[in-house]
Amino acid sequence: MIVLGLETSCDETAAAVVRDDRRILSNLVLSQLDEHRPFGGVVPEVAARAHLAYLPKLIERALGDAGIAASDLDGVAATAGPGLIGALLVGLTAGKALAYAAGKPFVAVNHLEAHALTARLTEGIAFPYLLLLVSGGHCQLVEVEGVGKNKLLGTTLDDAVGEAFDKAARLLGLAYPGGPAVEQAARSGDARRFALPRPMHGRSGADFSFAGLKTALRHAVAALPAPPDEQTRADLAASFQAAVADSLADRAGHALARFAATHQGIAPVLVLAGGVAANMTIRAALALRAEVHGAKLVAPPPALCTDNAAMIAWAGIERLQLGLVDGFDAPARPRWPLAGAAG
Ligand code: KG4
Ligand code: ZN
């Protein structure tokens, strides 16, 4: 089975071709960073127009790189949500049109589910597993029991973790997008110089919160006698990153304990997904915490953690294998939660 995947939910225009033996035949991602940088964030209308300008050529190249024609496809999958409505509509409509014209089944993919299933594409891991989804819009711990079978164990009470990175970067005068910039700056920083809070630490359950940490960082900057020099900025970035990593590890630890209790006899696996999973300090903290709980940490390569279309194609393959096909009336869904609350 060969499926074309399209992703246009935010500021990445992406097209990829993936085969059901887990081979990625092509995987193209066009970042719109340059378009949005002057605004310091993603502008929805700018994103939609850029998708419209880039996507047709990108689809052509994705098929060309894979060495196939649309007639060779077994299906077309496109992100239907969650995301920016105008941006989503571009990829969704293109996917439907292509599937209709080629006479192929169409799959409307949940972007979060695609992140959740990526470790099955990259590592071939089996259900069930515990997922930590950390991106610009999401911060969730989810029990993944199967395709479309997800149970929410914890979510953020305020900011998503990627959002917290982006805001921290802005506060420190670092480049957009913030996550990679903070990680880069933190490399030459001392994480012990500023004592920042570990939100939710030790509290029961697996919810997250980052608003207090962001405020603490702002106070730390304001308390400096002068605007931070480069070393101080690096120390602030490192201290912030360490607090986030500790907090994520603490919450994941709670969820792992629950997962172990409800899945006795199954070797626990903690899967990382979402753009923030590209962060090496966070990976290391979670690997340590997983080890404490006798669990294995599985983290896809960074390029497949951030937004891409290979994960959309793969989610399409998983759904098609179960006979799950969508109609051409499948709506774009700006809000589309992955899972309901766990009982
Ligand atoms: O999953 P993603 O590509 O897009 C969605 O939000 O769906 O995640 C983007 C987020 C941004 O907030 C970005 O700052 C963050 O992931 N990010 C990182 C790193 N790379 C990307 N955060 C921390 N460290 C990184 N290396
Ligand atoms: Zn994403």
PDB file of all heavy atoms in Angstrom, residues 7 9 111-112 115 133 135-136 138 274-275 305-308 311, ligand 2:
ATOM      1  N   GLU A   7       0.146  17.850   4.584  1.00  0.00           N
ATOM      2  CA  GLU A   7       0.037  18.520   5.888  1.00  0.00           C
ATOM      3  C   GLU A   7       0.090  20.028   5.674  1.00  0.00           C
ATOM      4  O   GLU A   7       1.071  20.557   5.131  1.00  0.00           O
ATOM      5  CB  GLU A   7       1.197  18.045   6.784  1.00  0.00           C
ATOM      6  CG  GLU A   7       1.589  18.979   7.918  1.00  0.00           C
ATOM      7  CD  GLU A   7       0.497  19.195   8.962  1.00  0.00           C
ATOM      8  OE1 GLU A   7      -0.256  18.253   9.251  1.00  0.00           O
ATOM      9  OE2 GLU A   7       0.393  20.330   9.460  1.00  0.00           O
ATOM     10  N   SER A   9      -1.604  22.188   8.380  1.00  0.00           N
ATOM     11  CA  SER A   9      -2.430  22.665   9.504  1.00  0.00           C
ATOM     12  C   SER A   9      -1.908  23.955  10.127  1.00  0.00           C
ATOM     13  O   SER A   9      -2.653  24.691  10.757  1.00  0.00           O
ATOM     14  CB  SER A   9      -2.542  21.585  10.574  1.00  0.00           C
ATOM     15  OG  SER A   9      -1.280  21.332  11.160  1.00  0.00           O
ATOM     16  N   HIS A 111      -4.217  15.464  13.019  1.00  0.00           N
ATOM     17  CA  HIS A 111      -2.788  15.800  13.128  1.00  0.00           C
ATOM     18  C   HIS A 111      -2.161  15.207  14.404  1.00  0.00           C
ATOM     19  O   HIS A 111      -1.025  14.735  14.389  1.00  0.00           O
ATOM     20  CB  HIS A 111      -2.672  17.326  13.126  1.00  0.00           C
ATOM     21  CG  HIS A 111      -1.293  17.863  13.244  1.00  0.00           C
ATOM     22  ND1 HIS A 111      -0.513  18.159  12.164  1.00  0.00           N
ATOM     23  CD2 HIS A 111      -0.549  18.180  14.333  1.00  0.00           C
ATOM     24  CE1 HIS A 111       0.658  18.629  12.573  1.00  0.00           C
ATOM     25  NE2 HIS A 111       0.659  18.652  13.891  1.00  0.00           N
ATOM     26  N   LEU A 112      -2.915  15.229  15.495  1.00  0.00           N
ATOM     27  CA  LEU A 112      -2.397  14.719  16.770  1.00  0.00           C
ATOM     28  C   LEU A 112      -2.247  13.207  16.712  1.00  0.00           C
ATOM     29  O   LEU A 112      -1.280  12.645  17.237  1.00  0.00           O
ATOM     30  CB  LEU A 112      -3.322  15.119  17.919  1.00  0.00           C
ATOM     31  CG  LEU A 112      -3.594  16.611  18.030  1.00  0.00           C
ATOM     32  CD1 LEU A 112      -4.567  16.897  19.161  1.00  0.00           C
ATOM     33  CD2 LEU A 112      -2.293  17.368  18.251  1.00  0.00           C
ATOM     34  N   HIS A 115       0.932  12.459  14.886  1.00  0.00           N
ATOM     35  CA  HIS A 115       2.084  12.544  15.789  1.00  0.00           C
ATOM     36  C   HIS A 115       2.155  11.280  16.651  1.00  0.00           C
ATOM     37  O   HIS A 115       3.227  10.716  16.878  1.00  0.00           O
ATOM     38  CB  HIS A 115       1.957  13.755  16.718  1.00  0.00           C
ATOM     39  CG  HIS A 115       2.482  15.050  16.150  1.00  0.00           C
ATOM     40  ND1 HIS A 115       3.766  15.184  15.672  1.00  0.00           N
ATOM     41  CD2 HIS A 115       1.911  16.274  16.014  1.00  0.00           C
ATOM     42  CE1 HIS A 115       3.956  16.440  15.267  1.00  0.00           C
ATOM     43  NE2 HIS A 115       2.839  17.115  15.456  1.00  0.00           N
ATOM     44  N   LEU A 133       2.880  13.966  24.101  1.00  0.00           N
ATOM     45  CA  LEU A 133       2.803  14.831  22.917  1.00  0.00           C
ATOM     46  C   LEU A 133       3.120  16.257  23.330  1.00  0.00           C
ATOM     47  O   LEU A 133       2.383  16.868  24.100  1.00  0.00           O
ATOM     48  CB  LEU A 133       1.397  14.740  22.308  1.00  0.00           C
ATOM     49  CG  LEU A 133       1.109  15.641  21.116  1.00  0.00           C
ATOM     50  CD1 LEU A 133       2.038  15.312  19.955  1.00  0.00           C
ATOM     51  CD2 LEU A 133      -0.341  15.487  20.675  1.00  0.00           C
ATOM     52  N   SER A 135       4.065  19.881  21.744  1.00  0.00           N
ATOM     53  CA  SER A 135       4.231  20.691  20.530  1.00  0.00           C
ATOM     54  C   SER A 135       3.876  22.134  20.821  1.00  0.00           C
ATOM     55  O   SER A 135       3.698  22.528  21.978  1.00  0.00           O
ATOM     56  CB  SER A 135       3.348  20.130  19.411  1.00  0.00           C
ATOM     57  OG  SER A 135       1.997  20.440  19.682  1.00  0.00           O
ATOM     58  N   GLY A 136       3.759  22.932  19.753  1.00  0.00           N
ATOM     59  CA  GLY A 136       3.446  24.343  19.920  1.00  0.00           C
ATOM     60  C   GLY A 136       2.037  24.566  20.442  1.00  0.00           C
ATOM     61  O   GLY A 136       1.768  25.555  21.122  1.00  0.00           O
ATOM     62  N   HIS A 138       0.129  21.827  21.893  1.00  0.00           N
ATOM     63  CA  HIS A 138      -0.347  20.743  22.751  1.00  0.00           C
ATOM     64  C   HIS A 138       0.680  20.285  23.763  1.00  0.00           C
ATOM     65  O   HIS A 138       1.886  20.355  23.518  1.00  0.00           O
ATOM     66  CB  HIS A 138      -0.773  19.548  21.895  1.00  0.00           C
ATOM     67  CG  HIS A 138      -1.814  19.922  20.902  1.00  0.00           C
ATOM     68  ND1 HIS A 138      -3.152  19.956  21.198  1.00  0.00           N
ATOM     69  CD2 HIS A 138      -1.708  20.351  19.632  1.00  0.00           C
ATOM     70  CE1 HIS A 138      -3.821  20.382  20.153  1.00  0.00           C
ATOM     71  NE2 HIS A 138      -2.976  20.632  19.180  1.00  0.00           N
ATOM     72  N   GLY A 274       5.810  15.340  18.678  1.00  0.00           N
ATOM     73  CA  GLY A 274       5.625  16.788  18.638  1.00  0.00           C
ATOM     74  C   GLY A 274       6.964  17.506  18.554  1.00  0.00           C
ATOM     75  O   GLY A 274       8.015  16.940  18.870  1.00  0.00           O
ATOM     76  N   GLY A 275       6.904  18.765  18.136  1.00  0.00           N
ATOM     77  CA  GLY A 275       8.117  19.523  17.866  1.00  0.00           C
ATOM     78  C   GLY A 275       9.087  19.619  19.037  1.00  0.00           C
ATOM     79  O   GLY A 275      10.305  19.577  18.850  1.00  0.00           O
ATOM     80  N   CYS A 305       9.628  14.425  14.311  1.00  0.00           N
ATOM     81  CA  CYS A 305       8.928  14.935  15.499  1.00  0.00           C
ATOM     82  C   CYS A 305       8.224  16.236  15.168  1.00  0.00           C
ATOM     83  O   CYS A 305       7.102  16.487  15.587  1.00  0.00           O
ATOM     84  CB  CYS A 305       9.912  15.196  16.638  1.00  0.00           C
ATOM     85  SG  CYS A 305      10.439  13.700  17.479  1.00  0.00           S
ATOM     86  N   THR A 306       8.914  17.115  14.419  1.00  0.00           N
ATOM     87  CA  THR A 306       8.278  18.369  14.017  1.00  0.00           C
ATOM     88  C   THR A 306       7.306  18.056  12.873  1.00  0.00           C
ATOM     89  O   THR A 306       7.290  16.951  12.337  1.00  0.00           O
ATOM     90  CB  THR A 306       9.328  19.394  13.566  1.00  0.00           C
ATOM     91  OG1 THR A 306      10.199  18.747  12.643  1.00  0.00           O
ATOM     92  CG2 THR A 306      10.159  19.881  14.728  1.00  0.00           C
ATOM     93  N   ASP A 307       6.484  19.049  12.532  1.00  0.00           N
ATOM     94  CA  ASP A 307       5.414  18.787  11.575  1.00  0.00           C
ATOM     95  C   ASP A 307       5.960  18.324  10.231  1.00  0.00           C
ATOM     96  O   ASP A 307       6.905  18.896   9.693  1.00  0.00           O
ATOM     97  CB  ASP A 307       4.539  20.036  11.404  1.00  0.00           C
ATOM     98  CG  ASP A 307       3.670  20.250  12.631  1.00  0.00           C
ATOM     99  OD1 ASP A 307       3.615  19.331  13.482  1.00  0.00           O
ATOM    100  OD2 ASP A 307       3.050  21.309  12.736  1.00  0.00           O
ATOM    101  N   ASN A 308       5.343  17.274   9.701  1.00  0.00           N
ATOM    102  CA  ASN A 308       5.770  16.674   8.432  1.00  0.00           C
ATOM    103  C   ASN A 308       4.588  15.927   7.834  1.00  0.00           C
ATOM    104  O   ASN A 308       3.559  15.741   8.504  1.00  0.00           O
ATOM    105  CB  ASN A 308       6.952  15.724   8.695  1.00  0.00           C
ATOM    106  CG  ASN A 308       6.547  14.532   9.528  1.00  0.00           C
ATOM    107  OD1 ASN A 308       6.099  13.518   9.009  1.00  0.00           O
ATOM    108  ND2 ASN A 308       6.647  14.648  10.861  1.00  0.00           N
ATOM    109  N   MET A 311       4.179  11.526   8.509  1.00  0.00           N
ATOM    110  CA  MET A 311       3.320  11.024   9.593  1.00  0.00           C
ATOM    111  C   MET A 311       1.845  11.032   9.176  1.00  0.00           C
ATOM    112  O   MET A 311       1.064  10.202   9.637  1.00  0.00           O
ATOM    113  CB  MET A 311       3.532  11.836  10.880  1.00  0.00           C
ATOM    114  CG  MET A 311       3.028  13.265  10.844  1.00  0.00           C
ATOM    115  SD  MET A 311       3.288  14.075  12.447  1.00  0.00           S
ATOM    116  CE  MET A 311       2.373  15.614  12.200  1.00  0.00           C
TER     117      MET A 311
HETATM  118 ZN    ZN B   2       2.401  19.184  15.154  1.00  0.00          ZN
END
